[in-house]
Amino acid sequence: MMSQIQPHFLYNTLATIRALCCVDAEKAGEMTEKFGEYLRQNLDSLGNTGLIPFRKELEHTRIYADIEMVCFENLRVEYDIQDDAFALPPLTLQPIVENAFTHGFREAAEKVLRIEVEVKNALIIRVTNSGATLSPQEYYAVNQAIRGNTAHGLSMVNHKLQGAYDERYDIRIGDRKSVV
């Protein structure tokens, strides 16, 4: 799980904290606290093989997103959470959001990430970004990589969901969105 933390995220966060120390010590302190909490929650997840409340996973994801928004000020995250009274494996939402940040903003002037949770006939968690859409071939390749364990972050999410829910879930990359 710890290998899931991307080195560029670590380096960008530390570089941003260092730069903030010179111009805004209070903001540097706030970011250091958030980064510490992010790392603490990742370490706490190492021994957790069960399900956790979605609220806890959402809070972890919010901390991650807050750090990314300080590192890259042209990012914005919107939340539309209609239901949060359910459980899921730890570190399932955050890697999807990380994937959207890392790969989803190709040529986007405005970088907006939207996280939605709704319950209709099933629980739907949707992560949408404002980046350019993928070609049908790219969608197919990414979805095959998830199933074949070569898209590491999303494959880990797929594996966790499969262990928790057998075949009663679906994760796919679609038109500018990841749906779990």
Side-chain angles (χ1 to χ4, degrees):
M1 257 187 234
M2 287 307 291
S3 66
Q4 175 60 28
I5 301 175
Q6 298 295 325
H8 67 270
F9 172 68
L10 293 173
Y11 299 139
N12 287 345
T13 302
L14 292 171
T16 300
I17 291 170
R18 182 174 187 262
L20 285 172
C21 286
C22 298
V23 295
D24 190 341
E26 187 175 329
K27 195 169 187 176
E30 290 171 11
M31 191 163 175
T32 301
E33 285 181 38
K34 283 186 183 212
F35 188 52
E37 182 60 26
Y38 173 83
L39 292 174
R40 211 174 356 270
Q41 289 179 1
N42 268 8
L43 289 171
D44 289 348
S45 295
L46 285 174
N48 190 343
T49 57
L51 302 178
I52 63 168
F54 175 73
R55 289 180 197 102
K56 185 173 181 177
E57 179 69 8
L58 181 61
E59 178 58 27
H60 183 67
T61 302
R62 283 183 195 266
I63 291 169
Y64 170 80
D66 288 349
I67 291 169
E68 286 285 42
M69 286 187 290
V70 172
C71 290
F72 304 99
E73 293 179 3
N74 60 342
L75 296 177
R76 188 173 82 239
V77 180
E78 299 173 349
Y79 299 89
D80 182 7
I81 310 301
Q82 296 177 14
D83 189 354
D84 65 0
F86 60 93
L88 73 172
L91 294 178
T92 51
L93 178 61
Q94 186 271 324
I96 293 170
V97 169
E98 182 176 350
N99 188 68
F101 275 136
T102 304
H103 304 293
F105 291 123
R106 295 185 295 166
E107 304 170 15
E110 185 179 17
K111 296 179 169 129
V112 180
L113 186 94
R114 186 166 173 79
I115 300 171
E116 301 170 79
V117 176
E118 64 180 311
V119 178
K120 291 188 177 180
N121 294 334
L123 171 67
I124 299 170
I125 300 172
R126 183 176 295 116
V127 177
T128 311
N129 63 62
S130 61
T133 60
L134 300 175
S135 71
Q137 295 82 6
E138 288 172 312
Y139 293 142
Y140 179 78
V142 171
N143 285 299
Q144 289 302 106
I146 291 168
R147 300 288 188 241
N149 295 321
T150 57
H152 300 292
L154 295 179
S155 293
M156 184 182 73
V157 170
N158 184 56
H159 179 73
K160 287 179 179 195
L161 292 173
Q162 188 174 33
Y165 303 112
D166 298 318
E167 296 298 322
R168 297 173 295 154
Y169 76 95
D170 186 25
I171 180 172
R172 65 180 174 263
I173 304 299
D175 186 15
R176 298 187 328 185
K177 61 185 92 168
S178 301
V179 179
V180 179

